[in-house]
């Protein structure tokens, strides 16, 4: 179809007509699907320029590294907690061993103190045995039947009994070499075993400890 006028005007008219015929699509999404950033309404602050792929990859790597670091933290904490628990357990064991050693030391000290006290008492008793021998001799001679000296001797003997001192002076009992010292042996009638017939000097014990054996005459089977 023939046309008149300028060719450019006809071309422009055709382009405008084709543009008017094309549908217009408006994107009202509030989040940019490419950048992931929020879109601002008209008249607001313009959106920041889109980040290129290289920056996005860098941010992703940084986020992944941060996540990995966060995952590794509890493991490090558990190792630290395990180390602290082991140190606490070792310290507790050391304290228990120290306590046991202290208890054993205290028992040993108490035992040594008791032994030292017992030995001190035995030393005093041994030093008084000659005095008791003189008291026995005076009593056998009738010098302590009455009077103040007899009362003093009785008080001394009673006081020594409170410290566990006992006399070994029984007769008619079986001879025991652990508490008797046989000075004389005599044959006896109707004797089946060695028997103490007479005590020449009394012996003494402090508890189960023999301070001095009794010197005796032993009757033996004929």
């Amino acid at each position: 179809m023939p046309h008149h006028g300028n060719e450019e005007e006809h071309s422009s008219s055709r382009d405008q007509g084709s543009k008017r015929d094309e549908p217009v699509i408006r994107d009202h999404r509030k989040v940019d699907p490419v950048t992931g950033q929020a879109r601002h309404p008209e008249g607001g602050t313009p959106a920041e320029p889109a980040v290129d792929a290289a920056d996005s990859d860098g941010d992703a790597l940084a986020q992944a590294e941060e996540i990995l670091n966060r995952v590794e933290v509890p493991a490090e904490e558990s190792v630290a907690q395990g180390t602290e628990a082991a140190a606490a357990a070792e310290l507790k064991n050391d304290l228990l061993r120290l306590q046991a050693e202290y208890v054993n030391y205290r028992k040993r000290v108490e035992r040594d103190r008791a032994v030292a006290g017992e030995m001190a008492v035995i030393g005093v008793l041994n030093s008084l045995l000659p005095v008791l021998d003189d008291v026995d001799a005076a009593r056998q001679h009738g010098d302590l039947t009455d009077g103040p000296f007899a009362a003093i001797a009785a008080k001394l003997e009673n006081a020594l009994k409170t410290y566990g001192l006992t006399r070994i002076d029984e007769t008619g009992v079986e001879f025991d070499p652990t508490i008797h010292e046989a000075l004389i042996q005599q044959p006896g009638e109707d004797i089946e075993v060695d028997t103490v017939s007479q005590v020449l000097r009394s012996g003494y014990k402090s508890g189960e400890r023999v301070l001095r054996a009794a010197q005796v005459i032993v009757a033996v089977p004929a």
Side-chain angles (χ1 to χ4, degrees):
M1 173 179 166
H3 58 273
H4 302 279
N6 190 353
E7 184 67 23
E8 292 180 0
E9 292 179 356
H10 289 284
S11 298
S12 174
S13 298
R14 284 195 301 269
D15 293 339
Q16 291 177 359
S18 61
K19 289 181 180 180
R20 283 195 299 267
D21 294 338
E22 293 178 356
V24 178
I25 299 174
R26 291 183 174 84
D27 189 356
H28 296 284
R29 287 178 292 184
K30 296 182 179 181
V31 178
D32 194 325
V34 177
T35 63
Q37 296 180 352
R39 291 175 173 175
H40 295 278
E42 295 181 359
T45 304
E48 296 180 0
V51 181
D52 56 5
D55 294 338
S56 299
D57 293 339
D59 293 340
L61 291 175
Q63 293 176 1
E65 184 178 1
E66 183 179 1
I67 293 174
L68 290 176
N69 291 333
R70 290 179 180 177
V71 172
E72 292 175 358
V73 166
E76 294 176 357
E77 290 180 353
S78 63
V79 171
Q81 291 176 357
T83 304
E84 293 177 357
E90 184 177 0
L91 178 60
K92 182 178 180 181
N93 292 332
D94 292 340
L95 292 176
L96 291 176
R97 284 193 295 269
L98 181 61
Q99 183 181 12
E101 292 177 358
Y102 172 73
V103 171
N104 293 332
Y105 168 76
R106 186 176 62 183
K107 290 181 179 179
R108 184 169 60 255
V109 169
E110 292 176 354
R111 183 173 61 252
D112 294 343
R113 184 183 295 115
V115 171
E118 183 180 356
M119 295 303 298
V121 171
I122 289 174
V124 173
L125 294 178
N126 282 326
S127 65
L128 292 175
L129 292 184
V131 178
L132 295 177
D133 291 338
D134 293 340
V135 171
D136 288 341
R139 185 177 287 114
Q140 291 175 3
H141 286 84
D143 296 336
L144 294 178
T145 57
D146 196 4
F149 289 105
I152 293 173
K155 288 181 179 179
L156 175 62
E157 292 174 342
N158 291 331
L160 295 177
K161 287 180 181 179
T162 61
Y163 291 95
L165 183 66
T166 58
R167 189 189 297 269
I168 305 174
D169 58 355
E170 293 182 331
T171 59
V173 298
E174 184 178 355
F175 175 78
D176 185 355
T178 61
I179 61 176
H180 298 135
E181 180 184 357
L183 297 181
I184 301 174
Q185 291 184 351
Q186 297 176 342
E189 296 180 358
D190 301 329
I191 299 297
E192 297 180 357
V193 294
D194 295 348
T195 304
V196 176
S197 61
Q198 185 179 351
V199 177
L200 301 178
R201 189 183 69 173
S202 298
Y204 292 94
K205 291 194 308 181
S206 176
E208 297 299 327
R209 182 188 295 271
V210 178
L211 302 181
R212 189 180 70 185
Q215 295 178 350
V216 298
I217 297 176
V218 180
V220 298

